[in-house]
Amino acid sequence: MAELIKIYDDNPNPRELKRIANAMRDGALVIYPTDTVYGLGCDITNKNALEKIARIKGVKLEKANFSFICEDLSNLSDYVSQIDSHTFKILKRNLPGPYTFILPSNNNLPSVFKKKKTVGIRVPDNKIAVELVKLLGNPIISTSIKDEDEVIEYTTDPSLIVEKWDNLVDFVIDGGYGGNIGSTIIDLTGDEPVLVREGKGSIEL
């Protein structure tokens, strides 16, 4: 059964977040708020947890396009190959924010993602998400939680989320009602930025 934990975005409870981060190191799955929609995430270094998320999403882990949720841009070089100053300026200007930027990956990706040539980087403008990454000590692998409803694409109410995901995850962080528009996805691997999906973030970069 999933544990529903209320945490306030303006003043996240460090004790509760630390407890969740410790559980994530041991393989726990968590649904947490971001600056867009609620995300399903786990510790990037825990292969068993990664495989669980892939099974839930119905994809092969090595082919899955999960986002890397980062605390800031300081550990970008851990997973991203060298980028030019123009690309870095775009990142610095728009993060934290409701964007996923696709960047060229380097050889430090977790072994299950070794064949991937690109990586999607997110730095959400949400204190709960950022603080959780900080306490974990490395990025969270994340994917949006889609709703099966034909009208509503994303579930926004944490109490409904915990009902639907009760047997699949370990924690649901209630950070208030979530958004229902995903992040704007922009590919920065070429000479010019390419819009992959328009979402909450402005495309006027």
Side-chain angles (χ1 to χ4, degrees), residues 30-64:
V30 59
I31 291 175
Y32 64 99
T34 71
D35 52 354
T36 56
V37 301
Y38 269 83
L40 164 65
C42 72
D43 185 340
I44 195 174
T45 66
N46 192 302
K47 190 179 177 188
N48 288 338
L50 292 169
E51 286 172 344
K52 277 189 209 168
I53 289 185
R55 278 198 300 275
I56 288 170
K57 297 294 284 188
V59 294
K60 287 189 174 180
L61 180 55
E62 59 272 15
K63 293 185 177 178

Side-chain angles (χ1 to χ4, degrees), residues 38 145-147 152-157 160-161 164-165 179:
Y38 269 83
I145 57 165
K146 295 265 188 174
D147 199 297
I152 303 164
E153 191 172 3
Y154 301 102
T155 310
T156 60
D157 184 341
L160 291 178
I161 291 171
K164 292 180 179 183
W165 291 79

Side-chain angles (χ1 to χ4, degrees), residues 7-13 17 20-21 24 30-42 68-72 96-97 122-142 173-175:
I7 294 179
Y8 296 93
D9 181 46
D10 56 348
N11 188 23
N13 184 326
L17 285 176
I20 295 168
M24 290 174 76
V30 59
I31 291 175
Y32 64 99
T34 71
D35 52 354
T36 56
V37 301
Y38 269 83
L40 164 65
C42 72
F68 287 32
I69 307 294
C70 300
E71 177 190 344
D72 52 33
R122 280 268 279 133
V123 182
D125 188 12
N126 178 284
K127 285 183 183 175
I128 296 170
V130 169
E131 198 60 32
L132 188 58
V133 173
K134 192 184 294 185
L135 289 167
L136 186 61
N138 50 253
I140 293 172
I141 278 286
S142 187
I173 297 176
D174 177 356

Side-chain angles (χ1 to χ4, degrees), residues 3-7 12-22 132 135 171 173:
E3 184 180 349
L4 180 64
I5 301 174
K6 178 71 181 175
I7 294 179
N13 184 326
R15 187 180 299 168
E16 288 286 34
L17 285 176
K18 193 169 187 178
R19 184 165 69 89
I20 295 168
N22 287 339
L132 188 58
L135 289 167
F171 298 97
I173 297 176

Side-chain angles (χ1 to χ4, degrees), residues 15-199:
R15 187 180 299 168
E16 288 286 34
L17 285 176
K18 193 169 187 178
R19 184 165 69 89
I20 295 168
N22 287 339
M24 290 174 76
R25 286 190 199 97
D26 292 332
L29 304 190
V30 59
I31 291 175
Y32 64 99
T34 71
D35 52 354
T36 56
V37 301
Y38 269 83
L40 164 65
C42 72
D43 185 340
I44 195 174
T45 66
N46 192 302
K47 190 179 177 188
N48 288 338
L50 292 169
E51 286 172 344
K52 277 189 209 168
I53 289 185
R55 278 198 300 275
I56 288 170
K57 297 294 284 188
V59 294
K60 287 189 174 180
L61 180 55
E62 59 272 15
K63 293 185 177 178
N65 290 319
F66 296 143
S67 299
F68 287 32
I69 307 294
C70 300
E71 177 190 344
D72 52 33
L73 295 177
S74 63
N75 54 356
L76 205 62
S77 59
D78 292 350
Y79 304 105
V80 174
S81 61
Q82 195 165 3
I83 54 175
D84 59 33
S85 59
H86 174 65
T87 301
F88 187 75
K89 281 177 186 172
I90 291 174
L91 298 174
K92 201 162 175 55
R93 198 162 55 234
N94 294 285
L95 296 175
Y99 294 91
T100 301
F101 287 108
I102 298 172
L103 298 163
S105 62
N106 63 21
N107 295 326
N108 297 330
L109 291 184
S111 57
V112 291
F113 299 127
K114 282 295 183 193
K115 292 182 180 177
K116 294 189 80 65
K117 300 280 187 265
T118 60
V119 59
I121 296 290
R122 280 268 279 133
V123 182
D125 188 12
N126 178 284
K127 285 183 183 175
I128 296 170
V130 169
E131 198 60 32
L132 188 58
V133 173
K134 192 184 294 185
L135 289 167
L136 186 61
N138 50 253
I140 293 172
I141 278 286
S142 187
T143 180
S144 303
I145 57 165
K146 295 265 188 174
D147 199 297
E148 291 171 4
D149 192 294
E150 289 179 7
V151 178
I152 303 164
E153 191 172 3
Y154 301 102
T155 310
T156 60
D157 184 341
S159 60
L160 291 178
I161 291 171
V162 79
E163 273 180 37
K164 292 180 179 183
W165 291 79
D166 193 29
N167 297 316
L168 294 171
V169 301
D170 301 283
F171 298 97
V172 175
I173 297 176
D174 177 356
Y177 279 90
N180 57 6
I181 300 172
S183 63
T184 293
I185 303 174
I186 294 173
D187 188 336
L188 294 178
T189 59
D191 294 334
E192 294 292 331
V194 175
L195 179 67
V196 177
R197 179 186 75 187
E198 186 171 359

